Amino acid sequence: MEPRQVKTAADARKIVEERGLTHVKVGVHDVDGILRGKYLHIDKFNAAIDGGMGFCDVVLGWDSNDQLYDNVTYTGWHTAYPDATVRILPETCREIATEPGNLLFLCEFVDGAEALCPRGVLRRVLDRAARMGFEVKVGFEYEFFVFAETAFSIREKGYKNLKPISPGFFGYSVLRNSVLSDWYKDLLAMCETMDMGIEGLHTETGAGVLEAALRVRDGLTAADSAALFKLYTKVLAQKRDWLATFMAKWSKDWPGCGGHMHMSLWRDGASAFFDANGPHRMSKAMRHFIGGQQVLMPELLGMVASNVNSYRRLIPGFWAPTVASWGVENRTTSLRVIPGSAKSTRVEYRIAAADANPYLALAAAVGSGLWGIEHEIDPGEPIKGNSYEKKHPAKSQLPRTLMEAAGRVKASKAARDLFGDAFVDHYAATREWEEREFRKAITDWELDRYMEII
């Protein structure tokens, strides 16, 4: 049996037995989109595949640096960090390309923790789409830098003078991908093996930066693939003593890393976005979808730009949008309509960066679009020309800091309708914590500017 054939608990037991495995790998994604997991003996796996298993709920109670939130109610010292139940998802079975023969299964939190589980949040948004008669198709697109450095050397260097795997600005370079063809070959093969296939892979404009467009999938599968692509790209790089980063903006001298999402709605096998007679071949549903995305973007940005560093990227002139806006084939706007055939008409959600949790970013993008359809929100006229040079209404301005964005999420009635009170309160608190942690730090910029002279 092949991993892609696994659909049920019985299938999962069968493939594990066929391979003669003693252990498999299981994991659940936390609020930051980091996969937290373990190796699990097959006896435990076979028992858990039906009824679930315990997983310490600290996974929902700490940040990306394993520091404990002091401002959340679901878990903490006040609850003594008990186990929460997770369910193993047989249909997520993948062979681990970097561990030939071994298998990986994703999990979801259930019961009370399900309201906070990022994958669960997205699943509920997609269920909402299904109740409206829509299927969601998504293609994630990631930019990431790769350095000829290790996890140790970057720290020893203080994150300065890092050596990229290739120098200079050289987008779409055949020279670079030919010289580094072994790396490209390994990355492409790994993604095929792990069911997160790449449609296109090329150098972007920057030293050592690549862009990978993942193949279009159904919503939940696309998010699984995106989350695992980020993780295993890092794994593959580190196994050859390199380091890949999906940080939104690692240097002021280079463009930031986008994590764009191309999405469309379908109904009964046909595009719900395409109308041959509509302006720009856009259906009324597509216009309303974009209208909702545009209106709610300032409120939900904290789910898409989820880290302090995310806001370093959102500056004019570096291919990242700065206001909630839309245009047709316009890469200076937040939402880029790509009119094409019935199969290819879609919207590119360009505000998202590579550092976002793909489950939550997609939940925000799709959820706001569905809200637009439900409320028949018209997006107005598309932006023509350079959006950075236009005057935009105050309501389209985006939060400038993570703390501001967290406050907008918390105050959003639409967010509470789409994602639930428990998630909104917990998530906003985690982002407030993240900014508080940042404010404890003294940056090199401050030391250089103030220590001697002020």
Side-chain angles (χ1 to χ4, degrees), residues 293-304:
Q293 289 184 320
Q294 181 176 236
V295 166
L296 292 187
M297 190 176 291
E299 297 180 25
L300 304 185
L301 184 66
M303 294 175 63
V304 177

Side-chain angles (χ1 to χ4, degrees), residues 3 15 19 21 24-25 93-96 101-105:
I15 192 171
R19 295 193 173 208
L21 299 176
V24 296
K25 190 173 285 188
C93 177
R94 284 168 168 80
E95 179 157 350
I96 305 174
N102 203 3
L103 298 172
L104 167 69
F105 293 84

Side-chain angles (χ1 to χ4, degrees), residues 64-65 147-163 234 238 242-245 444:
S64 59
N65 194 40
F147 300 97
E149 304 280 356
T150 70
F152 294 100
S153 71
I154 60 170
R155 289 168 169 82
E156 291 165 358
K157 290 183 170 185
Y159 306 96
K160 297 178 180 178
N161 302 314
L162 302 182
K163 181 181 179 182
K234 297 173 193 172
Q238 291 194 31
W242 287 0
L243 186 133
T245 182
D444 289 346

Side-chain angles (χ1 to χ4, degrees), residues 182-208:
D182 288 347
W183 158 249
Y184 282 79
K185 179 181 178 182
D186 289 347
L187 181 58
L188 291 167
M190 178 189 72
C191 290
E192 288 298 318
T193 297
M194 297 192 69
D195 198 21
M196 49 192 191
I198 292 177
E199 181 178 275
L201 178 64
H202 62 86
T203 60
E204 254 296 351
T205 179

